[in-house]
Amino acid sequence: MLRPLPGSLPLLLLLLLLAALPGLQPQVTVNSKVSAWLGSDVTLKCTARTRDTVTQITWQRKIRGKTEDFLTYNEGSEPRRLTPFAQRVKLLSNESVDGSISIQNVTLPDEGTYVCIFTIFPAGATEAEIALQVWVAPAVRVELKPVNASQYPDTVAECLVSSAKPAAMINWNTSGIEYRSAENTTRQSNGTVNSRSELYMTPTPALYGQEVACHVYQPDVTFTEQRNVTVRVTLTNIQYAPLTVRTEVHRSDGGLLQLACQCKAIPPATYMWRRGNESIVAGSIRDFQSGTLNLSEADDADVNGLYICEAANIIGVNIGSVYLYRESRRCRELLLLPFFFLFFIILSIVVGIWLLYRKHARESYETYTEQKFVEGSERLGNRQSREGYRSPDKLQTETEVVSLEEPQMRKEVIRTKTAPPSHGETLAETASKLQ
């Protein structure tokens, strides 16, 4: 039986006591749980707290039930990379107590448990574990499949999320338009999740051109660097038959008479013109392009008639019409003759009425003058009878007075009426006053 050397027992007990004291045991400090986005660089921190000598640092990982060493390091020497994975691993410090590493371009197979091991003399090996979790940002796209217009809800858009880790949630924004959605998920062998959300809305023509948004987020991502995705899309997949067909008649810059036909339709409509029940053929009427029909400039009315524009796409057909009536130049000239004849008749009637009016006015004036002359003569005769006999020379004077010009006679008669001569005044004196 071995016996301790004299005096060695107290020394052994002292060493055991020092080793048992707190703060003197080697300690390894790590960030126990680390998350990283796929394709990024991630740092695994690992440091030792000890007063003893660190002789070696070793890194190993546990993935899918297997444990492998991939990196070792001795102070004063280059690190040894033991696996292909170690080629993407970088040692961050040359100190013997700092074994922190950086993994470049993290992949999904890198996810697992990493073990940092310090070999310390004389304490031996001390280790700590780090859990690495790899997130995968969602890849989002919105698909629009053709849908015919109707009054019943249908799938107007699909939001597809592929290879998300953890699983993503999908929300829709339709700017207040009523909708509903249905979602399903599929988990892949590598741990990622595919999601699909269908957007149901009523596919009316008014919905065409509206914008919707698919908002994708991952609620289980635990660290602050969220990578939410929003994809906006305009609904251009609503198909509907041609709506109201509008027809117009105008002239081109070159003076060519044109019939235009336009309407709203998805997919765009093609146009075909016909006159009555007959298709338009080559001749005086030329072919059309993009819904515009060019008519000939022949000076006749052979382009007259009912023109029908037929707009059609794969959904349906609609029509518009316009009745065209254009007079020939000969017809226009013939139509002008009655107007000239009517104008001549009206002018003749107006001139005849004006001449009759002038004649009637002159006759009225002459009758009025003659009547006044007679009245003046009668007044003079009455005065002569009252005053007695007048000499022939006075009668001659009276005759000269009444034979004055018509305007003057009118004046004399009026004056005779308003200022009769006094009693005993002779005819000659009266005529002298009137003059």
Side-chain angles (χ1 to χ4, degrees):
M1 182 175 179
L2 296 176
R3 295 182 179 179
L5 295 175
S8 63
L9 183 59
L11 180 60
L12 180 61
L13 293 176
L14 179 62
L15 291 176
L16 293 175
L17 180 61
L18 291 175
L21 290 177
L24 297 181
Q25 289 287 344
Q27 296 181 353
V28 178
T29 303
V30 297
N31 45 351
S32 59
K33 188 174 182 179
V34 177
S35 298
W37 288 109
L38 178 68
S40 64
D41 298 341
V42 61
T43 298
L44 304 183
K45 294 182 179 180
C46 178
T47 58
R49 183 180 178 183
T50 181
R51 295 179 180 178
D52 297 332
T53 302
V54 176
T55 59
Q56 182 174 292
I57 301 174
T58 304
W59 278 95
Q60 64 180 206
R61 63 178 183 170
K62 301 176 182 179
I63 297 177
R64 293 183 292 275
K66 296 180 180 181
T67 302
E68 63 177 11
D69 295 343
F70 61 87
L71 181 69
T72 62
Y73 167 72
N74 297 99
E75 187 175 8
S77 63
E78 291 293 326
R80 291 184 298 167
R81 292 175 171 81
L82 307 177
T83 65
F85 163 74
Q87 300 301 321
R88 294 189 288 114
V89 177
K90 180 181 179 182
L91 192 65
L92 298 180
S93 176
N94 293 325
E95 297 181 7
S96 61
V97 295
D98 189 352
S100 301
I101 60 173
S102 172
I103 303 175
Q104 311 293 314
N105 192 20
V106 173
T107 65
L108 280 175
D110 296 340
E111 187 176 71
T113 301
Y114 289 76
V115 183
C116 176
I117 305 171
F118 283 88
T119 301
I120 303 174
F121 180 83
T126 302
E127 63 184 41
E129 293 184 350
I130 301 173
L132 174 61
Q133 191 170 31
V134 179
W135 300 129
V136 181
V140 183
R141 72 180 188 276
V142 176
E143 291 185 353
L144 301 178
K145 296 181 179 180
V147 55
N148 294 343
S150 71
Q151 299 299 320
Y152 303 98
D154 201 347
T155 303
V156 299
E158 292 182 353
C159 187
L160 304 177
V161 180
S162 59
S163 302
K165 185 176 180 296
M169 299 294 294
I170 302 175
N171 287 335
W172 288 95
N173 184 356
T174 62
S175 301
I177 303 176
E178 185 177 356
Y179 77 96
R180 67 180 182 87
S181 61
E183 185 174 337
N184 58 73
T185 59
T186 304
R187 187 171 295 275
Q188 306 297 314
S189 58
N190 60 1
T192 62
V193 179
N194 295 341
S195 301
R196 173 184 176 184
S197 178
E198 296 182 347
L199 177 64
Y200 291 89
M201 302 179 74
T202 303
T204 61
L207 191 61
Y208 183 89
Q210 296 292 332
E211 185 182 79
V212 297
C214 173
H215 181 63
V216 179
Y217 66 100
Q218 296 168 288
D220 293 335
V221 173
T222 56
F223 61 132
T224 57
E225 189 186 352
Q226 293 282 345
R227 292 191 177 181
N228 301 334
V229 179
T230 299
V231 177
R232 302 181 183 277
V233 65
T234 301
L235 298 179
T236 57
N237 59 325
I238 310 299
Q239 297 184 341
Y240 53 89
L243 301 180
T244 303
V245 180
R246 301 184 302 275
T247 56
E248 297 178 353
V249 180
H250 55 83
R251 289 191 178 274
S252 65
D253 294 338
L256 192 65
L257 188 64
Q258 294 180 329
L259 303 182
C261 179
Q262 293 293 328
C263 71
K264 290 184 178 180
I266 300 296
T270 57
Y271 303 95
M272 179 178 296
W273 281 93
R274 69 175 188 268
R275 185 166 65 177
N277 294 325
E278 299 179 356
S279 299
I280 294 177
V281 295
S284 60
I285 301 177
R286 303 173 186 175
D287 198 7
F288 69 95
Q289 293 180 353
S290 302
T292 300
L293 181 65
N294 298 326
L295 302 180
S296 69
E297 287 298 307
D299 188 22
D300 50 42
D302 63 351
V303 296
N304 293 347
L306 178 64
Y307 288 81
I308 299 175
C309 175
E310 182 179 282
N313 62 8
I314 60 175
I315 309 301
V317 180
N318 203 349
I319 63 172
S321 63
V322 58
Y323 189 88
L324 183 63
Y325 178 77
R326 187 176 66 166
E327 298 174 350
S328 66
R329 184 178 301 172
R330 182 176 301 175
C331 290
R332 290 194 294 269
E333 292 174 353
L334 292 175
L335 288 175
L336 290 177
L337 291 178
F339 290 101
F340 285 114
F341 182 71
L342 181 60
F343 175 76
F344 178 75
I345 293 176
I346 294 175
L347 181 61
S348 300
I349 293 174
V350 172
V351 172
I353 293 174
W354 182 76
L355 293 176
L356 289 176
Y357 172 77
R358 289 293 303 272
K359 182 179 180 181
H360 177 73
R362 181 176 296 176
E363 291 177 352
S364 298
Y365 179 75
E366 291 176 354
T367 303
Y368 174 79
T369 304
E370 182 178 358
Q371 183 180 3
K372 291 299 183 179
F373 179 77
V374 172
E375 291 177 357
S377 300
E378 290 177 354
R379 292 193 184 97
L380 290 174
N382 293 334
R383 289 179 181 176
Q384 186 176 4
S385 61
R386 288 194 303 266
E387 295 174 357
Y389 174 75
R390 293 289 188 269
S391 61
D393 57 340
K394 292 183 179 180
L395 292 176
Q396 181 66 28
T397 303
E398 181 177 343
T399 302
E400 292 176 356
V401 172
V402 298
S403 62
L404 297 175
E405 294 180 357
E406 292 177 2
Q408 188 66 24
M409 181 61 194
R410 184 178 180 186
K411 181 177 179 183
E412 292 168 354
V413 172
I414 294 173
R415 291 181 60 183
T416 302
K417 182 179 179 181
T418 56
S422 60
H423 179 74
E425 190 178 26
T426 63
L427 181 60
E429 293 173 352
T430 302
S432 177
K433 289 181 178 181
L434 292 176
Q435 289 179 354

